[in-house]
Amino acid sequence: AEARAHARTSRRTSGPLHTLVVGDTPFGLQHLLGEGGFGAVFLAEDIEGHVPLAGGAALDVDEDDYDALERARLVALKIESPPNPWEFYVLSALRKRLADEQARASIVGAREFVALPTESVLRLEYGAKGTLLDLVNAAGPAGIAAAGAGGVDEVLALFYAVELLRTVAAMHAAGVIHGDLKIDNCLVRLDGGDAWTSAYAADGAGGWASKGVQLIDFGRAIDLACFPREQAFVCDWTPGAQDCPAMHEARPWRHDADYYGIASIVYCLLFGQYMTTVVHDGRLRIQQPLRRYWQTDLWSTLFDALLNPPADGVDLGALHRSMAAWLEVNSCRGGRVRLCANRTSRGCSRRSRSGRSSASRRAAQVVLAAHLAQAREHARECKELLIAAEDRRAADVVHRELEVVHERTH
């Protein structure tokens, strides 16, 4: 309670106001990141640099590199009462089971766990780049909003959908169900600085392995290794709006929870609002219609599969491959396109010292070339149709507009 009071105060001032000692380790509390019924999460600084990195490695940063040292010493402290070691167990198990480094980097790292008589402290990696929800909320001011749709530009939405599918597929293969996938449980991951190529590479080459998402909040996760094969589950809580239909209908479920979570995240990226669904011809569908100029085949296939999972589960890998293949071919249309840029960290910093999140202007540059390329392609199609209809005057108008678009692109 004392930590919460000091952390809330620090939202209105600068610098750490309170030192919290956990075990023998002192932390300088920065501010409160979030809280729920069983605990709270704080941004804090490991003052002496004693907390090991995820996986148990010692902190090894050049002490003359003050920026790197500060980043390494920032941690997210999750304090829960009564003590809860489950999330630390799940995150540690995932780190051991995931052989791929890109997959491990896409799951938040648990740095240390301390159990006290009445509460526990889980020390997590701090994601300073913000959540996908922060990105959506800041899309308008940053100039990366989808025209008339409310979400982010379709190319950005597609990139994050691809990364989300890749990450959840790896997590499921490792025998873990997240159970609480939602857009504010997905951090933006933009590591590795500027050393990355313009063209998207599905295999992670060219610096793309260090860009994507990072899943957090595994408090409701399920380790399938603890249960008999094909074990199904029912929820013992009152389902919320983000929970899958099987939970609301008291039906057994397994990976359905995560399928529905992926669909809800992608929906929010596209439309800028929480997902609503309708039943049509016996199948669950999104209520909002897809824009005609989007990649409707890709999105329709994705939503239909995730909202209507077969008994043997959804092939997330197949969905990932089809969408990644499109992205590899089209990510550079119209110019040098980087689907997410380093400077996103500037504007979409997750509850920075000022306690606010904003979008990066660089993120607007990220999608500008692809957006204008779509406009040029649409103008060319209109011109061809008008010429075919022998409306030469109108075709000349379209041609002049096309030249303006081309000039703006450059």
Side-chain angles (χ1 to χ4, degrees), residues 135 139 157 166 193 229 254 271 281 284 311 348 354 356 376:
L135 189 67
R166 178 189 57 76
R229 186 178 177 85
R254 280 170 58 83
F271 297 106
D281 293 335
L284 197 63
C348 198
S354 65
R356 299 180 60 186
R376 288 204 312 273

Side-chain angles (χ1 to χ4, degrees), residues 78-301:
K78 188 170 187 175
I79 302 176
E80 293 185 271
S81 180
N84 181 13
W86 180 250
E87 187 169 6
F88 179 72
Y89 160 75
V90 170
L91 292 174
S92 300
L94 270 174
R95 191 163 192 87
K96 292 177 181 177
R97 296 175 195 174
L98 293 171
D100 179 58
E101 181 57 37
Q102 187 177 1
R104 284 199 297 270
S106 300
I107 304 293
V108 68
R111 296 180 60 171
E112 198 172 49
F113 177 79
V114 177
L116 303 171
T118 59
E119 59 190 3
S120 60
V121 180
L122 176 59
R123 302 164 188 174
L124 299 161
E125 293 174 340
Y126 172 61
K129 306 298 192 298
T131 68
L132 289 183
L133 182 60
D134 294 330
L135 189 67
V136 170
N137 288 337
I144 59 169
V152 301
D153 187 278
E154 185 195 16
V155 181
L156 273 179
L158 209 148
F159 168 70
Y160 285 117
V162 165
E163 288 302 299
L164 188 59
L165 288 166
R166 178 189 57 76
T167 301
V168 177
M171 181 180 67
H172 286 180
V176 171
I177 298 171
H178 185 284
D180 195 21
L181 283 180
K182 51 189 178 183
I183 195 163
D184 43 345
N185 281 344
C186 295
L187 299 180
V188 175
R189 185 170 64 88
L190 295 173
D191 304 324
D194 289 320
W196 50 312
T197 59
S198 300
Y200 171 74
D203 63 358
W208 286 93
S210 60
K211 321 298 176 185
V213 298
Q214 187 179 65
L215 302 184
I216 62 173
D217 198 352
F218 282 73
R220 270 171 47 174
I222 297 172
D223 182 5
L224 294 176
C226 299
F227 298 92
R229 186 178 177 85
E230 305 302 327
Q231 175 70 54
F233 307 92
V234 292
C235 61
D236 60 354
W237 63 89
T238 301
Q242 78 279 2
D243 292 321
C244 67
M247 292 182 179
H248 285 272
E249 297 165 11
R251 291 186 286 110
W253 50 268
R254 280 170 58 83
H255 299 92
D256 310 47
D258 288 353
Y259 300 151
Y260 193 82
I262 297 172
S264 69
I265 294 167
V266 174
Y267 185 97
C268 193
L269 286 170
L270 288 172
F271 297 106
Q273 55 187 275
Y274 294 117
M275 185 171 67
T276 53
T277 59
V278 295
V279 177
H280 181 71
D281 293 335
R283 296 186 72 79
L284 197 63
R285 303 189 186 282
I286 58 171
Q287 189 169 30
Q288 194 87 338
L290 297 168
R291 304 294 174 179
R292 60 175 179 80
Y293 49 84
W294 284 351
Q295 304 305 310
T296 54
D297 288 345
L298 288 176
W299 296 123
S300 296
T301 300

Side-chain angles (χ1 to χ4, degrees), residues 302-356:
L302 176 77
F303 283 118
D304 185 62
L306 295 175
L307 296 178
N308 303 279
D312 58 349
V314 176
D315 188 347
L316 297 181
L319 291 173
H320 168 262
R321 287 189 294 273
S322 65
M323 300 185 83
W326 185 92
L327 206 54
E328 281 193 305
V329 173
N330 295 279
S331 64
C332 271
R333 285 165 54 190
R336 292 175 59 83
V337 178
R338 292 183 179 183
L339 299 175
C340 46
N342 318 346
R343 293 186 186 176
T344 300
S345 62
R346 226 183 248 180
C348 198
S349 180
R350 185 171 185 251
R351 297 174 177 85
S352 61
R353 285 193 179 96
S354 65
R356 299 180 60 186

